[in-house]
Structure formats: C-alpha cells, structure tokens
Amino acid sequence: MAGRSATAGEPAGVLSTESIAVEADLCDYGDLHVTSGTHKEGLYFKVGSSLARGFISATEAVRKRSKFLRTPWWAKNGHVNTLVGHMLRGTRGHPGEGYDRMLLRTDDGGTLSIDVTKAAGVGEKGVGGATEEPFVLMIAGLGGSSADPYTQAMTSACARRGWKSAVICMRGTGQGPVTSGRLFSARRGSTDDVRFVMRELKTKGVIEEDQPIFGIGWSLGGCIMSNTVLEQDELDPPLRIEAAAALGAPYDLHESSELLKPFPNKIYSSRMAQGLVNILKPVAHVFDGVHKNYLGEENSFEFNGDKCYECKSILEFDEALTAPFFGFKSAKDYYDFSSPGRRFSESSPSVPTILVSALDDPVVGNVGIPFEAARKNENVVVVATDSGGHLGWCQSTHLGCGFAKNTQETSWTEDLVMDFFHQALQQRQAKTGDAASSKAEAVASFPV
C-alpha cells in the first residue's frame, strides 16, 4: 500500500513491523473486505481476527468477488427478489429430512414445540456426529416454523456435515399447542425460551453433555438469536450458544416498522399482521383471566381480542398485544429494548457470530446493522449483499435461500453459514485442545 509513512524513529520509507503485519493482514482478506464506510456490499470484520482470517481463507465465496452471491439481472430489486424467492420456495421448497416432534412444558405452563431433525446416522457417537460436533438450533422468521423451506434446507445442510439439528417453534407457531397466555416477542420471553430449550434438550440427552450448541435465526428469529447471544455476556448462563448466524434480521425494529408504513412495503406488514391474527384467534381463550404482564405486575394487562383482530400492520399488533403483555408502555419502547444492533460492541457477542443482510431488504431494511462493531469485535463477521431482498437471495430460478430444483444442491446462504460454523468449530477445538494440553502439563509438573 503506497503512501503509508514510517513510524517515529525509523528511516524514511521503512515500514514498522506492525505496519507490515497490518498490510499482510489486508492482503490476506480477499476481494470483498470493506475497509471504510458502511452499507456497501462485502465483508466487515476486525483486521487480525483469526476467525475472520480462517473463514475467508477457507471459503472462496467470500474471498473472491467472482464467487460471491451472483444475483441474476431480473432479481436486482428487493421486492422482486423477495417475492420470487417466496414463490419459488412454494413450488421448489426444500423437503428437508423430516422431524421428530418434542413438546416441552415450560415453568409458566406454556408449551414449546421442538422439531428434531431425522437423519440416519447423524448425531450418533462415532457415526458422522461425534459429541464434539455441534448441535444446531434454529428459529424461523415471524410466525414461521420447521415447515419453512429455508429451515428445512438448512437442516439438510447440517445433516450433510454430520451435524444434528432442531427447530424451535416459538409459542403459537408450527401448529403446536398453546397452553398459557403468552406468545412470543423479539427478545423478552423468547430468549428465556431459547435457554429453556437448551437446558431441556441437554437434560433429556438430545444434546450430549459436552456437545457445543450453535444457533441460526432468520428475520425475527435472527433478532431473537442475536439477542440470545448478546444476553449471554450479561447473564452468564450455564449453557451458551457457542456460535450463531442471523440471516435477514432486523437490527433496529423501530426503523424497520417505519420502513413498512408506505406503499408497497405496507403490503408486507399487512400480510404479516394477518398471519399473527391467524395464530392468535384459535388460542385467544388462553388469555382469559390474564391480568399480569410478563414481568408479573398485577392488573397491568388486559387482553382485547377485538382490537388485536382489527390490526392491519405489525406496529398495530405490537401496540395491541406484544408491547403491553411483555411489560412495555408502547411499541416504540418495546422496539428500543428489543433491537439488537446498538448492543453489538467491541466485546459482545463473545462467541463467533455471522450476520448476513441484504442491503435492499424491503421488510427489515438496512438500518442498525452493526458494521462498525464488526470492525472492532474479533468474533463478528457481517456479510452484506447489494441484492437479496428479504430472505430471497435468488441465484437463479433453480436455486436460492430455501429452494432448489436439485435438493442435493445447497444455496449460497446455506454454504456460507455452514462454512462459518466449520471455522468456529475448528477454533473451538483448537482452544479446547490447548486448554487440555496446558492442564496436562500443569499436572505433569506438579511435585509428587
């Protein structure tokens, strides 16, 4: 890099060892490293991060621009990419591997439906799934479940790696029973449910005692997953997500809500609100007699079914039900508390985390994506694409996020997440090996 000056005390034209190391780092990061500015297509990460270096070195799709997401000309519009991706998932949606359903009764009397992926030989010790391999937990988008083709495609991608997986159907989704007066939110309550699921699956032996847990979320599920890994650094729970991925997630929920107000974006909001109403209506009776909010405050909540059923937007539904039940004065207060973007920092999350966002996403937008935090945190990689819409990422009419003409073929998004998780796993195994070696050396040197 021409133009870099020598440090004090060095002859002119001679670069310091530190400068040479920095330049070597920059040269190692391929064609897609965004070194300045934000909201540009490419990768954002901390220079010097061993995680980022290993991921980029091993993954041609993020090292060479020619191998990056190739969006066809007809899909270089956020609305088109969103709609076409949705339609193609309807006709060429991935069939997945099939599931075994578990029903977990929560402490408040609620029920969580967990769909554990069926895959012959996967997850068995010594057969493509030893306990050092991860167990991958997934959360679909708003109102979604294990039936969504993008979750099914990702479970198959995990199975090909020999990794066992499961999809958490948030309360009221996946046609699971609703047995308490509570649904889900972007943070409060939902992150507790994720931690509860981890404990229960570990207790029941579905997740092995020493098996690492990785997490993936799409859209609102990506928001919940991001909040889960961020809260780990505040709460220090006994079980942790050890690597995470969020795809098409909102990072500033208020700005996302504003984006959905004008036409044509309001159509998305209307359809999603109707989806929430459809979830609520058959189970509304569970809110009968509920006068406490999630925080346990007496006479702080009053369910108004008619008001909920009349909602024409996500904002209206959150004002009517989500915000008051989960202890917020307004939807704006709920959005401020639940938005993960501003809470990404130099030190949090402290586990490998990849965030994949399309800059033309017409549903969640691109405000709040933690570009600068990724440049300071060695555990975070942000991958931004110019095109992709909301969970579209169409590569052709034959392949995209959650759909494929040939179901043996993985899409760019699935390969990206799997390769990142592989690097996170290698890093974890290296640290575990170093710790074991240090312990053995300490024991060997202890005087007898």
Side-chain angles (χ1 to χ4, degrees), residues 27-48:
C27 291
D28 286 346
Y29 291 131
D31 304 337
L32 291 149
H33 182 196
V34 182
T35 57
S36 63
T38 62
H39 295 85
K40 302 174 185 177
E41 182 171 80
L43 274 68
Y44 300 74
F45 52 85
K46 182 177 181 178
V47 172

Side-chain angles (χ1 to χ4, degrees), residues 1 4 18-30 33-36 43-54 56 371-381:
M1 287 184 177
R4 189 185 297 278
E18 180 181 355
S19 296
I20 292 171
V22 169
E23 290 198 4
D25 276 338
L26 292 173
C27 291
D28 286 346
Y29 291 131
H33 182 196
V34 182
T35 57
S36 63
L43 274 68
Y44 300 74
F45 52 85
K46 182 177 181 178
V47 172
S49 163
S50 59
L51 174 71
R53 184 197 293 274
I56 294 166
F371 297 110
E372 294 298 346
R375 289 186 172 129
K376 299 174 183 177
N377 188 325
E378 64 181 3
N379 296 302
V380 178
V381 174

Side-chain angles (χ1 to χ4, degrees), residues 145-366:
S145 69
S146 59
D148 286 313
Y150 53 77
T151 59
Q152 296 188 137
M154 197 68 81
T155 60
S156 288
C158 287
R160 291 189 188 99
R161 301 266 178 153
W163 301 348
K164 201 170 181 182
S165 63
V167 181
I168 302 174
C169 299
M170 305 309 291
R171 300 185 190 217
T173 69
Q175 299 182 329
V178 178
T179 55
S180 68
R182 172 176 153 193
L183 294 179
F184 55 85
S185 83
R187 182 181 176 186
R188 188 174 281 171
S190 293
T191 55
D192 292 328
D193 281 346
V194 173
R195 288 186 285 270
F196 173 81
V197 169
M198 292 163 63
R199 291 195 304 271
E200 286 295 295
L201 294 187
K202 185 82 79 167
T203 299
K204 295 179 183 300
V206 177
I207 301 176
E208 298 289 339
E209 183 59 35
D210 55 350
Q211 190 170 21
I213 304 171
F214 290 2
I216 305 172
W218 292 261
S219 193
L220 184 73
C223 186
I224 294 170
M225 191 59 69
S226 295
N227 280 322
T228 300
V229 296
L230 288 164
E231 285 183 353
Q232 290 177 165
D233 296 321
E234 303 164 9
L235 303 176
D236 193 25
L239 284 177
R240 297 164 63 89
I241 298 285
E242 296 193 41
L247 295 91
Y251 296 99
D252 186 319
L253 289 164
H254 174 68
E255 289 297 329
S256 296
S257 176
E258 291 296 304
L259 179 69
L260 290 170
K261 286 182 177 179
F263 181 85
N265 303 50
K266 65 189 298 184
I267 297 173
Y268 300 120
S269 185
S270 177
R271 287 179 62 86
M272 290 187 290
Q274 188 57 54
L276 291 173
V277 170
N278 292 342
I279 287 173
L280 176 63
K281 274 188 174 181
V283 300
H285 62 277
V286 299
F287 286 96
D288 292 344
V290 176
H291 301 293
K292 292 182 182 180
N293 64 18
Y294 175 78
L295 301 177
E297 298 167 336
E298 292 283 356
N299 300 316
S300 58
F301 174 75
E302 191 70 39
F303 177 68
N304 185 332
D306 290 338
K307 185 178 180 181
C308 293
Y309 304 151
E310 292 171 359
C311 291
K312 303 299 182 185
S313 70
I314 294 294
L315 175 62
E316 290 179 5
F317 190 90
D318 288 338
E319 287 282 10
L321 181 61
T322 314
F325 177 80
F326 285 99
F328 299 100
K329 294 180 180 179
S330 66
K332 175 117 180 9
D333 287 343
Y334 160 56
Y335 293 156
D336 288 344
F337 176 82
S338 305
S339 297
R342 64 177 65 94
R343 292 177 17 250
F344 279 78
S345 68
E346 182 178 352
S347 58
S348 186
S350 58
V351 297
T353 303
I354 186 169
L355 313 177
V356 188
S357 295
L359 298 175
D360 66 349
D361 191 320
V363 175
V364 304
N366 57 36

